[in-house]
Amino acid sequence: MGEVFLARVGDSADTLVLKRILPHLTENPRFLRLFLDETRIASRLVHPNIAQIHELGEVDGTWFVAMEHVDGKDLREMLKRTREVGHHVPIEVAVAVGVEIARGLSHAHAATDAQGRSLRVVHRDVSPHNVLIGRNGDVKLIDFGVAKAANKSVQTGTGILKGKFPYMSPEQANAQPVDPRTDVFALGIVLWEMLCAKYLFRGKTDAATLKLVREAQVPVPSTLRDDVPEALDRVLLKALAKSPDERYATAELFREALAGVLSNLAPPNLPKWMREYDDV
């Protein structure tokens, strides 16, 4: 749907990512409204764990967005590389990533508009594809393209599924109303997969994947990896409860629970982990 460039800021060494929407797509009013919605939502979310939007603009009929450049890899690529060499993500690294993404989600869920009214943002697409890990250890959430928010000009119709099937919550897969607990569930999937080095809900077809999501049968992580502490089992299984009412009510409560587990683990070293697998 667009082109992505690495851009230098003037004569400085600073860099930005420039996303340019393909011209023929901007002729589609609905697509343009979706793009503007995504950018406007993300531009209000100023937080260390969310990739920052710097500018939205239009030049000669071409729309663009300039955003923060994270020098690193997305989590999907990092997990692929660790699996290729038969390794596991260190427990403390996985939990630390979970803590940081939960912190970013907590900020997004609490975001307000210029009048102080809640935006009621739900990301709806928390997945390894949308988590960036910087070589310096920064963890950033990106892509609010399918986010649900109160002030979006284009709303999702009833019965339409938005997001990646393997990272949906059961209610999302059933096209039911979603709230921040949907993002808690999705982050739980991401963390489970980091720990267990396999997909949690991945069928041979989209229909099979959705069936697995709706059933929400979650193996206890420590049965697949014996160094997972019991406390982490409990936290993850709560986040991945089939019923939203049985999950953490907020991303902040999930973050606090993960931080409690992390306090009893070895200090995480994300830059070291990045260096180990960056060039595999």
Side-chain angles (χ1 to χ4, degrees):
M1 69 177 187
E3 299 172 295
V4 180
F5 301 90
L6 183 63
R8 181 175 294 125
V9 182
D11 295 327
S12 73
D14 296 335
T15 55
L16 293 173
V17 169
L18 193 70
K19 180 195 288 186
R20 184 171 68 184
I21 302 305
L22 296 176
H24 73 277
L25 290 175
T26 60
E27 297 172 3
N28 181 328
R30 179 178 173 84
F31 177 88
L32 183 57
R33 289 198 302 272
L34 286 168
F35 168 70
L36 294 176
D37 274 342
E38 171 192 352
T39 307
R40 287 166 179 156
I41 291 169
S43 67
R44 294 202 62 83
L45 306 178
V46 181
H47 189 271
N49 296 118
I50 297 175
Q52 181 62 46
I53 299 293
H54 292 291
E55 183 179 354
L56 168 67
E58 179 262 337
V59 176
D60 297 331
T62 299
W63 284 89
F64 72 90
V65 57
M67 63 188 71
E68 176 183 2
H69 172 224
V70 179
D71 181 20
K73 301 286 184 183
D74 66 53
L75 183 57
R76 173 184 56 176
E77 179 67 16
M78 293 302 296
L79 294 181
K80 176 184 176 183
R81 293 182 180 211
T82 57
R83 284 195 295 267
E84 285 174 349
V85 296
H87 290 175
H88 279 99
V89 177
I91 299 285
E92 68 276 9
V93 167
V95 177
V97 170
V99 166
E100 297 306 306
I101 293 304
R103 184 177 283 118
L105 284 172
S106 181
H107 175 81
H109 295 159
T112 60
D113 64 15
Q115 287 72 45
R117 297 171 298 197
S118 173
L119 288 175
R120 300 200 301 276
V121 171
V122 182
H123 190 285
R124 296 199 296 185
D125 198 19
V126 178
S127 65
H129 316 62
N130 290 330
V131 174
L132 301 182
I133 311 291
R135 291 185 174 87
N136 62 358
D138 285 348
V139 180
K140 307 273 186 175
L141 183 63
I142 63 169
D143 197 353
F144 284 77
V146 301
K148 175 183 179 294
N151 66 347
K152 287 184 71 168
S153 62
V154 180
Q155 296 292 341
T156 302
T158 302
I160 296 176
L161 301 182
K162 302 283 281 188
K164 299 177 182 68
F165 291 171
Y167 299 95
M168 287 185 172
S169 65
E171 63 273 16
Q172 191 177 3
N174 284 314
Q176 296 173 343
V178 299
D179 61 31
R181 295 171 296 182
T182 282
D183 288 343
V184 167
F185 190 93
L187 178 54
I189 297 173
V190 172
L191 184 49
W192 190 98
E193 292 184 353
M194 289 186 74
L195 294 168
C196 299
K198 60 185 296 186
Y199 295 112
L200 178 54
F201 304 126
R202 179 67 66 94
K204 292 183 178 180
T205 65
D206 286 346
T209 296
L210 286 173
K211 183 175 185 292
L212 291 172
V213 171
R214 288 165 179 151
E215 292 173 349
Q217 297 295 314
V218 180
V220 178
S222 61
T223 63
L224 301 173
R225 179 174 175 178
D226 57 15
D227 60 340
V228 174
E230 183 180 344
L232 184 52
D233 278 340
R234 290 195 299 269
V235 170
L236 267 182
L237 293 178
K238 182 175 177 67
L240 289 167
K242 182 176 180 179
S243 169
D245 292 338
E246 296 178 4
R247 294 178 211 148
Y248 294 101
T250 65
E252 178 59 19
L253 288 173
F254 189 21
R255 185 203 66 78
E256 290 175 0
L258 289 174
V261 173
L262 187 60
S263 67
N264 293 312
L265 300 175
N269 190 333
L270 269 66
K272 179 176 182 291
W273 179 60
M274 286 294 297
R275 289 193 299 270
E276 288 177 352
Y277 297 101
D278 197 23
D279 297 319
V280 172

